[in-house]
Amino acid sequence: ETVKSLGPGDQAAVVFTIREGPRVRLGEVSFAGNGYFTAAQLRPHIAIARSAPYVEGDVRAARNHLVQRYREQGFTGVKVSEPRIAVNADRTVADVRFEIEEGTRFVVSGVVFEGDALPDAGPLQKTLAKGPLGQPYFERRGQELGNRVTAAFAAQGYPDAAVAVREEPGATPGDVVLRVSVASGPRVRI
């Protein structure tokens, strides 16, 4: 940087000299430790493409997208390390490698209702219970079930129904049972 003074009472001007290095493009994007997804299945979820300009923020965002993708498939404890970047000798290509520790995949293996039941709603309760069965478990899955049960009670005239969903381990590792507790409150008729 250079500071030039223009004279008494004048303002100073600052001149920055920038020497741009070579433009760096993305090379190979690879994954290690991925057993559930293939590399081809993961690539569309990371939003970075080979030969695109290398932008560190995009690579970090890609890591976050990988974590989210795995969590949506029931890998609640997935770990994706900071990306490893290898730049070639002339500093024009950067290869990116994501190391993944998938952990255990959790799947909803059962839904148990306790507390108040909807009057004459046996089929509806069965439908509500079947919805998440066999689906990957993540926190939002329990919240969605709770919201559907609350809406079902409200539709039957129980707008103040209190619904709580908690997860419990199932019979085998990775199985999750969702226990739905319901306190219907008073029925409201208009």
mmCIF file of all heavy atoms in Angstrom, residues 34-54:
data_model
loop_
_atom_site.group_PDB
_atom_site.id
_atom_site.type_symbol
_atom_site.label_atom_id
_atom_site.label_comp_id
_atom_site.label_asym_id
_atom_site.label_seq_id
_atom_site.Cartn_x
_atom_site.Cartn_y
_atom_site.Cartn_z
ATOM 1 N N ASN A 34 -18.323 -42.776 3.249
ATOM 2 C CA ASN A 34 -19.736 -42.845 2.886
ATOM 3 C C ASN A 34 -20.094 -44.268 2.474
ATOM 4 O O ASN A 34 -19.599 -44.778 1.496
ATOM 5 C CB ASN A 34 -20.065 -41.856 1.764
ATOM 6 C CG ASN A 34 -19.154 -41.999 0.561
ATOM 7 O OD1 ASN A 34 -17.936 -42.005 0.694
ATOM 8 N ND2 ASN A 34 -19.739 -42.115 -0.611
ATOM 9 N N GLY A 35 -20.945 -44.894 3.256
ATOM 10 C CA GLY A 35 -21.384 -46.245 2.945
ATOM 11 C C GLY A 35 -22.844 -46.279 2.520
ATOM 12 O O GLY A 35 -23.243 -47.068 1.683
ATOM 13 N N TYR A 36 -23.639 -45.402 3.085
ATOM 14 C CA TYR A 36 -25.072 -45.397 2.785
ATOM 15 C C TYR A 36 -25.340 -44.761 1.422
ATOM 16 O O TYR A 36 -26.121 -45.273 0.634
ATOM 17 C CB TYR A 36 -25.836 -44.646 3.876
ATOM 18 C CG TYR A 36 -27.328 -44.687 3.690
ATOM 19 C CD1 TYR A 36 -28.054 -45.831 3.999
ATOM 20 C CD2 TYR A 36 -28.014 -43.586 3.182
ATOM 21 C CE1 TYR A 36 -29.423 -45.875 3.812
ATOM 22 C CE2 TYR A 36 -29.386 -43.625 2.991
ATOM 23 C CZ TYR A 36 -30.086 -44.768 3.310
ATOM 24 O OH TYR A 36 -31.445 -44.815 3.112
ATOM 25 N N PHE A 37 -24.712 -43.627 1.149
ATOM 26 C CA PHE A 37 -24.853 -42.931 -0.125
ATOM 27 C C PHE A 37 -23.618 -43.177 -0.979
ATOM 28 O O PHE A 37 -22.503 -43.221 -0.465
ATOM 29 C CB PHE A 37 -24.962 -41.413 0.077
ATOM 30 C CG PHE A 37 -26.211 -40.952 0.757
ATOM 31 C CD1 PHE A 37 -26.150 -40.427 2.035
ATOM 32 C CD2 PHE A 37 -27.436 -41.009 0.120
ATOM 33 C CE1 PHE A 37 -27.283 -39.974 2.666
ATOM 34 C CE2 PHE A 37 -28.586 -40.554 0.750
ATOM 35 C CZ PHE A 37 -28.508 -40.031 2.016
ATOM 36 N N THR A 38 -23.811 -43.265 -2.284
ATOM 37 C CA THR A 38 -22.668 -43.294 -3.201
ATOM 38 C C THR A 38 -22.226 -41.851 -3.437
ATOM 39 O O THR A 38 -22.978 -40.902 -3.165
ATOM 40 C CB THR A 38 -23.056 -43.914 -4.556
ATOM 41 O OG1 THR A 38 -24.015 -43.055 -5.195
ATOM 42 C CG2 THR A 38 -23.624 -45.321 -4.390
ATOM 43 N N ALA A 39 -21.026 -41.692 -3.970
ATOM 44 C CA ALA A 39 -20.535 -40.353 -4.308
ATOM 45 C C ALA A 39 -21.486 -39.687 -5.302
ATOM 46 O O ALA A 39 -21.777 -38.488 -5.191
ATOM 47 C CB ALA A 39 -19.125 -40.437 -4.867
ATOM 48 N N ALA A 40 -21.988 -40.453 -6.253
ATOM 49 C CA ALA A 40 -22.907 -39.905 -7.260
ATOM 50 C C ALA A 40 -24.200 -39.394 -6.614
ATOM 51 O O ALA A 40 -24.794 -38.429 -7.088
ATOM 52 C CB ALA A 40 -23.220 -40.957 -8.320
ATOM 53 N N GLN A 41 -24.641 -40.030 -5.530
ATOM 54 C CA GLN A 41 -25.846 -39.588 -4.831
ATOM 55 C C GLN A 41 -25.582 -38.342 -3.995
ATOM 56 O O GLN A 41 -26.485 -37.539 -3.777
ATOM 57 C CB GLN A 41 -26.385 -40.702 -3.937
ATOM 58 C CG GLN A 41 -26.963 -41.864 -4.710
ATOM 59 C CD GLN A 41 -27.286 -43.045 -3.797
ATOM 60 O OE1 GLN A 41 -26.512 -43.384 -2.898
ATOM 61 N NE2 GLN A 41 -28.427 -43.675 -4.041
ATOM 62 N N LEU A 42 -24.354 -38.175 -3.521
ATOM 63 C CA LEU A 42 -24.029 -37.024 -2.679
ATOM 64 C C LEU A 42 -23.750 -35.757 -3.489
ATOM 65 O O LEU A 42 -24.074 -34.654 -3.053
ATOM 66 C CB LEU A 42 -22.819 -37.339 -1.797
ATOM 67 C CG LEU A 42 -23.051 -38.366 -0.700
ATOM 68 C CD1 LEU A 42 -21.756 -38.682 0.018
ATOM 69 C CD2 LEU A 42 -24.110 -37.881 0.281
ATOM 70 N N ARG A 43 -23.143 -35.902 -4.640
ATOM 71 C CA ARG A 43 -22.721 -34.721 -5.422
ATOM 72 C C ARG A 43 -23.837 -33.708 -5.683
ATOM 73 O O ARG A 43 -23.610 -32.510 -5.546
ATOM 74 C CB ARG A 43 -22.056 -35.155 -6.718
ATOM 75 C CG ARG A 43 -20.629 -35.550 -6.506
ATOM 76 C CD ARG A 43 -19.817 -35.688 -7.805
ATOM 77 N NE ARG A 43 -18.505 -36.211 -7.458
ATOM 78 C CZ ARG A 43 -18.203 -37.503 -7.463
ATOM 79 N NH1 ARG A 43 -19.084 -38.401 -7.839
ATOM 80 N NH2 ARG A 43 -16.994 -37.889 -7.111
ATOM 81 N N PRO A 44 -25.044 -34.134 -6.069
ATOM 82 C CA PRO A 44 -26.088 -33.124 -6.324
ATOM 83 C C PRO A 44 -26.475 -32.304 -5.094
ATOM 84 O O PRO A 44 -27.058 -31.234 -5.221
ATOM 85 C CB PRO A 44 -27.289 -33.958 -6.797
ATOM 86 C CG PRO A 44 -26.727 -35.261 -7.235
ATOM 87 C CD PRO A 44 -25.497 -35.488 -6.418
ATOM 88 N N HIS A 45 -26.144 -32.781 -3.913
ATOM 89 C CA HIS A 45 -26.544 -32.091 -2.686
ATOM 90 C C HIS A 45 -25.508 -31.101 -2.176
ATOM 91 O O HIS A 45 -25.743 -30.414 -1.191
ATOM 92 C CB HIS A 45 -26.868 -33.111 -1.586
ATOM 93 C CG HIS A 45 -28.037 -33.957 -1.939
ATOM 94 N ND1 HIS A 45 -29.339 -33.527 -1.823
ATOM 95 C CD2 HIS A 45 -28.111 -35.196 -2.477
ATOM 96 C CE1 HIS A 45 -30.146 -34.459 -2.242
ATOM 97 N NE2 HIS A 45 -29.431 -35.482 -2.649
ATOM 98 N N ILE A 46 -24.371 -31.019 -2.836
ATOM 99 C CA ILE A 46 -23.330 -30.137 -2.304
ATOM 100 C C ILE A 46 -23.202 -28.827 -3.068
ATOM 101 O O ILE A 46 -22.515 -27.926 -2.624
ATOM 102 C CB ILE A 46 -21.964 -30.849 -2.209
ATOM 103 C CG1 ILE A 46 -21.496 -31.334 -3.572
ATOM 104 C CG2 ILE A 46 -22.025 -31.980 -1.192
ATOM 105 C CD1 ILE A 46 -20.086 -31.888 -3.552
ATOM 106 N N ALA A 47 -23.840 -28.690 -4.201
ATOM 107 C CA ALA A 47 -23.906 -27.433 -4.946
ATOM 108 C C ALA A 47 -22.544 -26.847 -5.304
ATOM 109 O O ALA A 47 -22.391 -25.637 -5.357
ATOM 110 C CB ALA A 47 -24.757 -26.418 -4.183
ATOM 111 N N ILE A 48 -21.551 -27.677 -5.484
ATOM 112 C CA ILE A 48 -20.276 -27.234 -6.039
ATOM 113 C C ILE A 48 -19.942 -28.193 -7.172
ATOM 114 O O ILE A 48 -20.196 -29.381 -7.072
ATOM 115 C CB ILE A 48 -19.127 -27.162 -5.003
ATOM 116 C CG1 ILE A 48 -18.900 -28.498 -4.313
ATOM 117 C CG2 ILE A 48 -19.382 -26.059 -3.992
ATOM 118 C CD1 ILE A 48 -17.712 -28.532 -3.366
ATOM 119 N N ALA A 49 -19.429 -27.646 -8.248
ATOM 120 C CA ALA A 49 -19.188 -28.476 -9.426
ATOM 121 C C ALA A 49 -17.738 -28.379 -9.883
ATOM 122 O O ALA A 49 -17.092 -27.342 -9.734
ATOM 123 C CB ALA A 49 -20.109 -28.038 -10.556
ATOM 124 N N ARG A 50 -17.272 -29.456 -10.453
ATOM 125 C CA ARG A 50 -15.921 -29.507 -11.004
ATOM 126 C C ARG A 50 -15.747 -28.373 -12.018
ATOM 127 O O ARG A 50 -16.652 -28.068 -12.779
ATOM 128 C CB ARG A 50 -15.705 -30.866 -11.662
ATOM 129 C CG ARG A 50 -14.317 -31.082 -12.164
ATOM 130 C CD ARG A 50 -14.192 -32.479 -12.774
ATOM 131 N NE ARG A 50 -12.943 -32.616 -13.462
ATOM 132 C CZ ARG A 50 -11.855 -33.150 -12.942
ATOM 133 N NH1 ARG A 50 -11.906 -33.629 -11.722
ATOM 134 N NH2 ARG A 50 -10.738 -33.217 -13.616
ATOM 135 N N SER A 51 -14.583 -27.758 -11.990
ATOM 136 C CA SER A 51 -14.194 -26.654 -12.873
ATOM 137 C C SER A 51 -14.824 -25.316 -12.512
ATOM 138 O O SER A 51 -14.542 -24.322 -13.158
ATOM 139 C CB SER A 51 -14.472 -26.975 -14.341
ATOM 140 O OG SER A 51 -13.705 -28.090 -14.726
ATOM 141 N N ALA A 52 -15.684 -25.283 -11.511
ATOM 142 C CA ALA A 52 -16.218 -23.999 -11.042
ATOM 143 C C ALA A 52 -15.104 -23.284 -10.278
ATOM 144 O O ALA A 52 -14.169 -23.916 -9.794
ATOM 145 C CB ALA A 52 -17.417 -24.238 -10.133
ATOM 146 N N PRO A 53 -15.176 -21.975 -10.144
ATOM 147 C CA PRO A 53 -14.171 -21.279 -9.331
ATOM 148 C C PRO A 53 -14.206 -21.810 -7.893
ATOM 149 O O PRO A 53 -15.281 -22.083 -7.359
ATOM 150 C CB PRO A 53 -14.604 -19.821 -9.377
ATOM 151 C CG PRO A 53 -15.460 -19.711 -10.598
ATOM 152 C CD PRO A 53 -16.117 -21.049 -10.758
ATOM 153 N N TYR A 54 -13.026 -21.950 -7.310
ATOM 154 C CA TYR A 54 -12.945 -22.402 -5.921
ATOM 155 C C TYR A 54 -13.314 -21.229 -5.021
ATOM 156 O O TYR A 54 -12.684 -20.175 -5.060
ATOM 157 C CB TYR A 54 -11.536 -22.893 -5.586
ATOM 158 C CG TYR A 54 -11.372 -23.172 -4.118
ATOM 159 C CD1 TYR A 54 -11.862 -24.340 -3.558
ATOM 160 C CD2 TYR A 54 -10.759 -22.248 -3.264
ATOM 161 C CE1 TYR A 54 -11.740 -24.600 -2.211
ATOM 162 C CE2 TYR A 54 -10.627 -22.497 -1.909
ATOM 163 C CZ TYR A 54 -11.123 -23.672 -1.394
ATOM 164 O OH TYR A 54 -11.011 -23.922 -0.058
#
